[in-house]
Amino acid sequence: MHGAGGPAGAALFGASAIWVATALFVLTYAVIMSDKLNRAIVALLGAGLLILTGIVDQKEAMAAVDWNTLGLLLGMMLIVNITRRSGLFQYVAIWSAKKVDASPWGIMLMMSIVTAVFSAFLDNVTTVLLTVPVTMLITEELKVKPYPYLFAQIFASNIGGTATLIGDPPNIMIGSATGLTFNDFAIHLTPVIIVVMAATMVPLYFVWGRHLHATDENRRHVMAFDERQAITDRRLLKQSLTVIAFVIAGFMLQRQTGIEPATVAIFGAAVLLLLDNLGKDSETQSKNVHGALSEAEWITLMFFLGLFILVFGIQKAGLIDMLAHALVTATSGNFQVTALAILWASAVLSAFIDNIPFVATMIPLIKAMAPTFGGDAALVPLWWALSLGACLGGNGTLIGASANLVVAGLAERAGTSFRFVEYLKVAFPLMLLSIVLSHVYLQLRYL
Amino acid sequence: MTALAICQTPFPALKDSDTVGDAARRMLEIAVWDLPVVDAAGRLIGMFKLTHLLGTLLPKAATIGGISDLAFVGDTLDYLRDRMRAVEDEPIRAYVAEADHVVHPETSPMEVALLLYRGERAVPVVDAGDHRLIGMVAAREVVGALLAKGGR
């Protein structure tokens, strides 16, 4: 996100810019949280009103949009949408279920691990859309309740997504705003995420895993699945895997090459589109490219676009500086207390509100603390606290993250109900466990 | 010409208490994919469709999206037979889908042709007032009426 140029001079009907910007910001967030209107519509309307009221001019609005975040998201969406046609994700899911001889607990463990690993490299929602239907098919064959499996996959997707720069939108935003690289995220977050993932599976075993049973005959049905048949396009599979390998290498070499992840992802998507369309007639090419582009999550991308302008509005009006000052005062300027406050507050808030707007607001707020804590470099632990809190906090309630709602929606369509309170009873304590582990990790490693 | 003039009437219909097995066998006998389901007063309740029945026999996970094909699942014929046996004695009421479109006796053939062109296999013709089933119209009725001698 770009720096604000100072308090806005604009005023509307005699009201100062800070009040108008704050009112618009709060109103927009309230409508987003109410779920009465599509969030992309609300964010774009809020951003438009900021420009129309003169708080942000058009040039500033364009500069406020973090194109790195949007480019990275779009590039990865395109790569995943093309790759999924190869059947790769179904192959891995079935292969992993068979590796544990179709034992109910083994499948729960393996599907959770597969979900977490996919989620570390793909968007969480995409991950659950790819893996949950296979899990439901397997549980149907095993004649076991799908709920524990889907619950575990929700957790795995949010935990796995925290592990890397590209796993979850908050991390993409943090990485883009701070210059922290793919490797930085892998070095600083992946270790604690492995611990959190392992620790989460222990209570899940005692709550559900040890009670899961399937007959030998039903297990044989699953073992009869032929994962090789899941691969529907071997040529595309090879192309996709090659491009994904180069893209991840590009992320890892960001510091050496100076090339932003957005460029790597968009270029990778373009190369994959090229390989997928080589030798095809122009009509087929148009159809393929149109299909790949139309399947991108445009709602998410437009939501981000509006959000960046909204946050810039309150930043320019001076609200972010005021909040940062208030937070530093509340923690008495103590770095350790500030980091842990960010971790816990992010976790609890992200369990109930969308973590994307929350993180979008927190980024400039934390940046504004740089003078207090000795410069940008000193802030790094705060970014890890924000990432861990915002990403893991989403597990706390059914509305805490988009992936949770997507899984609940898929389950409902197949006749399995996901109730808010039922989910909360197990999920919130488990989420707190992950935050306690993160607290210990931050304390031991950075504070 | 109106929908009434070209529809097949009277048309065989099912009762919601008929069993899935009986309904499906009857449809195979008279070579139709969809049959209307009516209540005791002859009012249209919905449609019983063989394709919809197949959907209920498939694993639920396959019908919610996300699984592009089921080539990797083995022994599918036995699986489907088992599922069919499990549901064939059930009344069809749980399998009745609301009719996507209905037309009325006075609806124009152009409107009927458009619905059929857009993918409907057969459209129920119902009374506009009491929703009583009057007949069904499929592409063959429309084309047959257009080719009939004496027509203009």
Side-chain angles (χ1 to χ4, degrees):
Chain A
M1 223 167 292
H2 296 251
L12 186 75
F13 309 128
S16 70
I18 193 167
W19 284 110
V20 178
T22 304
L24 272 174
F25 182 81
V26 170
L27 184 66
T28 307
Y29 273 43
V31 180
I32 289 169
M33 280 189 273
S34 75
D35 273 335
K36 298 278 184 208
L37 268 176
N38 180 281
R39 58 186 188 161
I41 299 174
V42 183
L44 290 173
L45 275 177
L49 285 172
L50 271 179
I51 298 170
L52 291 174
T53 51
I55 293 163
V56 175
D57 68 36
Q58 292 180 63
K59 226 175 188 176
E60 288 172 326
M62 288 302 288
V65 176
D66 184 346
W67 299 103
N68 274 322
T69 296
L70 295 184
L72 179 51
L73 281 168
L74 177 62
M76 292 309 291
M77 285 171 187
L78 293 177
I79 291 172
V80 171
N81 286 338
I82 300 166
T83 305
R84 71 194 298 178
R85 286 188 1 237
S86 69
L88 168 70
F89 303 107
Q90 281 178 25
Y91 174 92
V92 175
I94 296 165
W95 173 85
S96 64
K98 289 174 68 174
K99 275 289 156 198
V100 289
D101 289 329
S103 95
W105 161 246
I107 288 176
M108 189 166 160
L109 191 63
M110 286 298 269
M111 291 305 284
S112 300
I113 293 169
V114 165
T115 304
V117 173
F118 278 163
S119 209
F121 297 98
L122 314 175
D123 164 54
N124 294 354
V125 170
T126 307
T127 302
V128 295
L129 281 173
L130 292 169
T131 55
V132 161
V134 183
T135 303
M136 292 174 78
L137 187 67
I138 290 169
T139 56
E140 214 171 326
E141 287 284 349
L142 287 178
K143 294 193 170 46
V144 292
K145 285 183 184 168
Y147 184 88
Y149 294 82
L150 304 184
F151 183 100
Q153 276 182 281
I154 288 177
F155 261 73
S157 74
N158 290 319
I159 293 171
T162 317
T164 68
L165 166 72
I166 55 171
D168 214 353
N171 285 4
I172 295 176
M173 293 159 77
I174 292 169
S176 181
T178 59
L180 291 166
T181 64
F182 185 88
N183 293 355
D184 291 329
F185 277 83
I187 292 164
H188 292 273
L189 291 186
T190 304
V192 65
I193 286 308
I194 291 170
V195 173
V196 167
M197 185 68 207
T200 300
M201 293 314 292
V202 175
L204 288 182
Y205 173 76
F206 285 103
V207 175
W208 288 305
R210 62 184 173 149
H211 305 300
L212 296 169
H213 295 290
T215 65
D216 288 345
E217 192 193 343
N218 291 334
R219 286 173 68 174
R220 274 197 296 276
H221 288 164
V222 174
M223 293 305 288
F225 284 5
D226 184 356
E227 64 273 23
R228 287 166 304 177
Q229 294 292 327
I231 300 293
T232 51
D233 189 336
R234 288 184 188 279
R235 181 168 166 259
L236 180 62
L237 175 69
K238 285 178 192 162
Q239 293 169 344
S240 300
L241 288 175
T242 307
V243 168
I244 289 172
F246 275 107
V247 165
I248 291 173
F251 292 152
M252 295 172 87
L253 295 171
Q254 182 190 343
R255 213 179 284 281
Q256 287 82 354
T257 60
I259 299 172
E260 289 283 352
T263 308
V264 174
I266 292 279
F267 187 71
V271 170
L272 192 51
L273 279 170
L274 171 73
L275 294 172
D276 189 32
N277 286 287
L278 271 181
K280 291 178 181 161
D281 61 66
S282 63
E283 195 180 330
T284 310
Q285 285 186 32
S286 298
K287 200 177 154 197
N288 281 352
V289 176
H290 184 264
L293 289 173
S294 62
E295 282 176 19
E297 294 279 336
W298 288 103
I299 290 176
T300 304
L301 295 171
M302 292 300 105
F303 175 56
F304 268 104
L305 195 143
L307 208 55
F308 287 132
I309 300 171
L310 272 168
V311 173
F312 177 78
I314 56 163
Q315 191 182 357
K316 186 185 173 193
L319 181 65
I320 292 289
D321 279 340
M322 278 173 56
L323 290 174
H325 183 71
L327 183 58
V328 170
T329 306
T331 57
S332 309
N334 182 314
F335 187 73
Q336 182 181 1
V337 176
T338 305
L340 297 175
I342 289 171
L343 172 74
W344 283 94
S346 304
V348 174
L349 285 170
S350 293
F352 295 96
I353 64 170
D354 192 337
N355 62 10
I356 293 171
F358 174 73
V359 170
T361 315
M362 286 299 290
I363 285 171
L365 197 146
I366 292 176
K367 277 188 163 181
M369 294 178 189
T372 309
F373 294 126
D376 287 339
L379 296 179
V380 171
L382 302 187
W383 298 122
W384 305 140
L386 176 63
S387 168
L388 288 165
C391 297
L392 298 176
N395 272 327
T397 71
L398 204 50
I399 57 166
S402 306
N404 311 9
L405 291 169
V406 168
V407 174
L410 288 172
E412 297 276 356
R413 277 158 60 192
T416 300
S417 75
F418 257 79
R419 299 192 189 286
F420 186 89
V421 174
E422 188 191 359
Y423 178 87
L424 184 83
K425 280 180 190 167
V426 184
F428 206 81
L430 266 184
M431 182 275 283
L432 291 180
L433 169 68
S434 69
I435 300 304
V436 167
L437 291 170
S438 303
H439 179 131
V440 172
Y441 174 74
L442 290 173
Q443 185 93 49
L444 291 177
R445 187 160 176 186
Y446 306 104
L447 305 175
Chain B
M1 207 194 304
T2 61
L4 182 62
I6 54 174
C7 73
Q8 186 184 348
T9 182
F11 193 83
L14 300 167
K15 295 193 195 75
D16 66 352
S17 54
D18 291 343
T19 65
V20 169
D22 288 344
R25 283 187 200 95
R26 189 167 167 205
M27 293 166 82
L28 295 178
E29 274 170 26
I30 57 175
V32 292
W33 295 84
D34 311 336
L35 269 185
V37 182
V38 295
D39 64 13
R43 285 186 295 259
L44 180 72
I45 299 173
M47 301 294 292
F48 180 74
K49 301 184 175 191
L50 290 184
T51 47
H52 182 69
L53 174 62
L54 288 180
T56 64
L57 302 181
L58 288 168
K60 284 177 193 159
T63 61
I64 58 169
I67 292 180
S68 54
D69 69 70
L70 290 170
F72 57 85
V73 180
D75 298 332
T76 53
L77 185 61
D78 286 344
Y79 177 93
L80 291 171
R81 274 192 181 133
D82 288 347
R83 298 280 285 229
M84 187 69 188
R85 278 192 203 105
V87 301
E88 69 178 324
D89 292 327
E90 287 182 19
I92 59 170
R93 67 177 62 94
Y95 299 87
V96 175
E98 196 178 332
D100 293 328
H101 297 96
V102 295
V103 294
H104 301 304
E106 65 279 9
T107 303
S108 76
M110 184 84 83
E111 177 66 14
V112 175
L114 181 64
L115 290 173
L116 295 169
Y117 164 73
R118 285 179 176 163
E120 287 290 317
R121 271 189 297 270
V123 184
V125 182
V126 298
D127 185 278
D130 61 10
H131 219 58
R132 198 170 36 84
L133 180 72
I134 294 168
M136 293 288 287
V137 57
R140 65 173 170 267
E141 276 82 47
V142 179
V143 175
L146 299 177
L147 291 174
K149 286 185 178 167
R152 268 181 42 88

